[in-house]
């Protein structure tokens, strides 16, 4: 017989991290652990990584839904196939925990050369919003650390200052040397977006994520049709649960790229559905984490490696927190590595610091 329990865990940022929706100082997650009654020491662990203000399941009843799933864990097939369709972060946490249990609770979800420590994943270096000097400092650190792809969050400070920062990188590094991506998080007004896209295109950027707020399909469709800079959909995919509606969105907007955050689009299953739609239409994609702890990041990274996507992925958020869970994940020279010989502190994961 399966049993389960959950606990809320608040991750604290090392320093405030700015987005166009405000400054983040902490991040909430719920951890689900699952075990067989006959083998209580073999534990599957999953992370329900809700993002307040962004996740489609950020609504009243979240804690109650997590606990309901745990109390009725024997019905996990119902939860995965139907019961959690509109609770994507909980779906992902359950999906993760069951996979972990299936693989003897060792945090190995998809055995591969990545989990053996023989291969690494190319990732982008993330530059958080802030004052120009702070962003410049982050840029210098990422370049020094060996990243060949940098992603800047823009839209919170003066646009001219952001252009100046990008010009500074381009003056030193060509597009062949450093790939630059920007993420506006919907910060541009529709009437000004095209002019800003033209300015940014002059800097030979790779792409821009979500230039205008999600939900404006006709405006986004027009931008994607006319843009001089490739547009990637991100927030636009959040909260779209029905398969036909997903198809309608992607056919209406016809983006240059889509970006999948498993915690926000329904885990591996939800992400796979979007990938299939994109590939049927020759639309490239990449995977991004969504401020998960190392528990969630580990599962996403292992799955991402199996997809054999050579593009830089957005999987570098594991070093943001003061109280993250220690893990074998390590970022070096712009690559995410799994240090197979280090392992996890399983006792710490499953006892006092998470579950009482």
């Amino acid at each position: 017989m399966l049993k389960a329990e959950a606990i809320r865990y608040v991750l604290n940022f090392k320093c405030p991290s700015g987005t166009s929706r405000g400054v983040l100082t902490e991040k909430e997650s719920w951890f689900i652990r699952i075990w067989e009654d006959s083998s209580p020491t073999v534990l599957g662990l999953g992370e329900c990584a809700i993002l307040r203000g962004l996740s489609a399941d950020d609504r009243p009843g979240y804690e109650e839904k997590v606990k309901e799933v745990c109390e009725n864990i024997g019905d996990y097939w119902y939860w995965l196939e139907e019961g959690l369709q509109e609770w994507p972060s909980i779906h992902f946490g359950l999906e993760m925990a069951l996979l972990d249990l299936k693989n003897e609770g060792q945090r190995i979800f998809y055995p591969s050369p990545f989990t053996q420590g023989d291969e690494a994943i190319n990732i982008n270096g993330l530059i958080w919003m802030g004052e120009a000097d702070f962003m410049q400092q982050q840029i210098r650190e990422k370049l020094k650390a060996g990243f060949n792809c940098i992603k800047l969050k823009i839209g919170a400070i003066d646009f001219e200052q952001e252009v100046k920062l990008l010009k500074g990188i381009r003056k030193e590094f060509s597009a062949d040397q450093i790939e630059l991506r920007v993420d506006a998080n919907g910060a541009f007004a529709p009437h000004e977006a095209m002019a800003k896209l033209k300015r940014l295109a002059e800097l030979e950027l790779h792409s821009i994520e979500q230039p205008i707020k999600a939900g404006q399909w006709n405006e986004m469709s027009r931008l994607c049709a006319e843009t001089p800079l490739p547009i990637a959909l991100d927030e636009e995919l959040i909260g779209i649960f029905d398969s036909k509606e997903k198809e309608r969105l992607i056919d209406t907007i016809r983006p240059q790229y889509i970006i999948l955050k498993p915690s926000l689009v329904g885990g591996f299953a939800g992400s796979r559905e979007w990938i299939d739609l994109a590939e049927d239409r020759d639309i490239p994609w990449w995977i991004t984490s969504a401020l998960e702890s190392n528990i969630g990041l580990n599962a996403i990274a292992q799955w991402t490696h199996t997809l054999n996507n050579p593009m830089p992925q957005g999987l570098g958020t594991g070093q943001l927190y003061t109280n993250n869970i220690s893990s074998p994940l390590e970022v070096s020279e712009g690559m995410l590595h799994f240090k197979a010989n280090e392992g996890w502190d399983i006792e710490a994961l499953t006892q006092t610091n998470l579950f009482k």
Side-chain angles (χ1 to χ4, degrees):
M1 180 182 293
L2 280 182
K3 293 194 174 180
E5 61 181 339
I7 189 73
R8 181 176 180 268
Y9 191 74
V10 177
L11 295 148
N12 300 311
F13 281 83
K14 291 178 180 177
C15 60
S17 299
T19 75
S20 62
R21 289 181 297 273
V23 176
L24 303 174
T25 59
E26 61 181 31
K27 159 70 178 63
E28 172 188 356
S29 278
W30 284 81
F31 290 95
I32 294 176
R33 70 171 182 176
I34 300 176
W35 67 96
E36 292 278 0
D37 200 24
S38 58
S39 302
T41 60
V42 180
L43 304 168
L45 192 65
E47 180 176 1
C48 308
I50 186 171
L51 264 180
R52 295 295 180 182
L54 183 60
S55 295
D57 46 12
D58 177 19
R59 61 181 189 269
Y62 188 90
E63 178 178 351
E64 290 77 9
K65 181 59 68 173
V66 173
K67 291 180 178 178
E68 181 186 0
V69 170
C70 290
E71 290 167 0
N72 298 278
I73 194 61
D75 298 326
Y76 65 90
W77 281 115
Y78 162 74
W79 294 121
L80 289 178
E81 294 179 2
E82 182 180 344
L84 292 175
Q85 185 181 42
E86 297 187 6
W87 301 87
S89 66
I90 303 175
H91 185 286
F92 184 42
L94 176 61
E95 189 179 31
M96 191 189 314
L98 289 166
L99 272 172
D100 191 21
L101 182 63
K102 180 181 177 181
N103 288 287
E104 303 298 321
Q106 297 300 308
R107 319 286 97 82
I108 301 296
F109 304 87
Y110 295 95
S112 72
F114 174 70
T115 57
Q116 293 166 3
D118 297 328
E119 295 181 3
I121 302 171
N122 189 13
I123 62 173
N124 62 239
L126 180 60
I127 308 301
W128 289 91
M129 291 176 177
E131 295 298 324
D133 288 346
F134 172 63
M135 294 181 74
Q136 185 65 54
Q137 175 190 340
Q138 292 180 80
I139 291 167
R140 287 195 297 267
E141 290 173 353
K142 296 301 181 185
L143 293 174
K144 185 178 179 180
F147 285 91
N148 58 24
C149 177
I150 293 178
K151 170 182 165 180
L152 287 85
K153 287 189 173 286
I154 63 173
I157 64 174
D158 178 67
F159 181 69
E160 295 303 324
Q161 289 191 59
E162 292 170 337
V163 170
K164 184 178 178 180
L165 285 168
L166 292 163
K167 281 184 176 178
I169 302 174
R170 271 291 165 257
K171 186 175 180 180
E172 189 173 354
F173 299 95
S174 70
D176 291 333
Q177 294 172 301
I178 297 292
E179 179 177 293
L180 290 178
R181 301 172 176 175
V182 294
D183 182 1
N185 285 130
F188 299 165
H191 71 272
E192 67 179 8
M194 185 58 72
K196 290 187 173 182
L197 291 175
K198 289 177 180 177
R199 291 284 306 283
L200 293 169
E202 295 172 358
L203 301 171
E204 297 182 89
L205 306 186
H206 172 270
S207 58
I208 181 170
E209 297 178 30
Q210 206 69 43
I212 64 174
K213 284 184 171 61
Q216 304 174 87
W217 290 16
N218 291 334
E219 291 287 351
M220 187 69 86
S221 176
R222 179 184 63 82
L223 287 176
C224 288
E226 301 174 7
T227 182
L229 175 63
I231 291 173
L233 299 188
D234 182 1
E235 288 95 333
E236 203 74 62
L237 312 183
I238 297 170
I240 309 297
F241 305 116
D242 180 74
S243 298
K244 293 295 184 183
E245 190 72 354
K246 292 179 180 180
E247 192 170 355
R248 191 170 76 84
L249 181 148
I250 208 165
D251 285 336
T252 298
I253 297 178
R254 301 298 300 186
Q256 281 75 37
Y257 297 100
I258 65 168
I259 300 170
L260 292 315
K261 290 183 169 74
S263 287
L264 300 181
V265 299
F268 303 133
S271 299
R272 184 73 251 181
E273 189 171 18
W274 279 113
I275 288 171
D276 289 343
L277 287 171
E279 290 184 340
D280 286 346
R281 293 156 177 80
D282 296 320
I283 297 173
W285 51 270
W286 67 89
I287 307 298
T288 302
S289 52
L291 301 181
E292 296 87 358
S293 76
N294 280 329
I295 300 295
L297 177 61
N298 172 53
I300 294 170
Q302 291 186 31
W303 176 67
T304 299
H305 183 269
T306 69
L307 303 177
N308 298 311
N309 186 333
M311 299 176 69
Q313 308 294 303
L315 303 177
T317 59
Q319 299 171 313
L320 291 173
Y321 306 114
T322 61
N323 60 336
N324 207 339
I325 313 303
S326 61
S327 80
L329 298 174
E330 178 182 274
V331 177
S332 175
E333 294 297 316
M335 306 288 284
L336 182 65
H337 301 261
F338 188 95
K339 312 295 283 187
N341 60 332
E342 293 187 10
W344 293 81
D345 186 352
I346 300 298
E347 183 175 344
L349 281 173
T350 56
Q351 292 189 11
T352 56
N353 71 331
L354 288 184
F355 296 92
K356 296 180 180 179

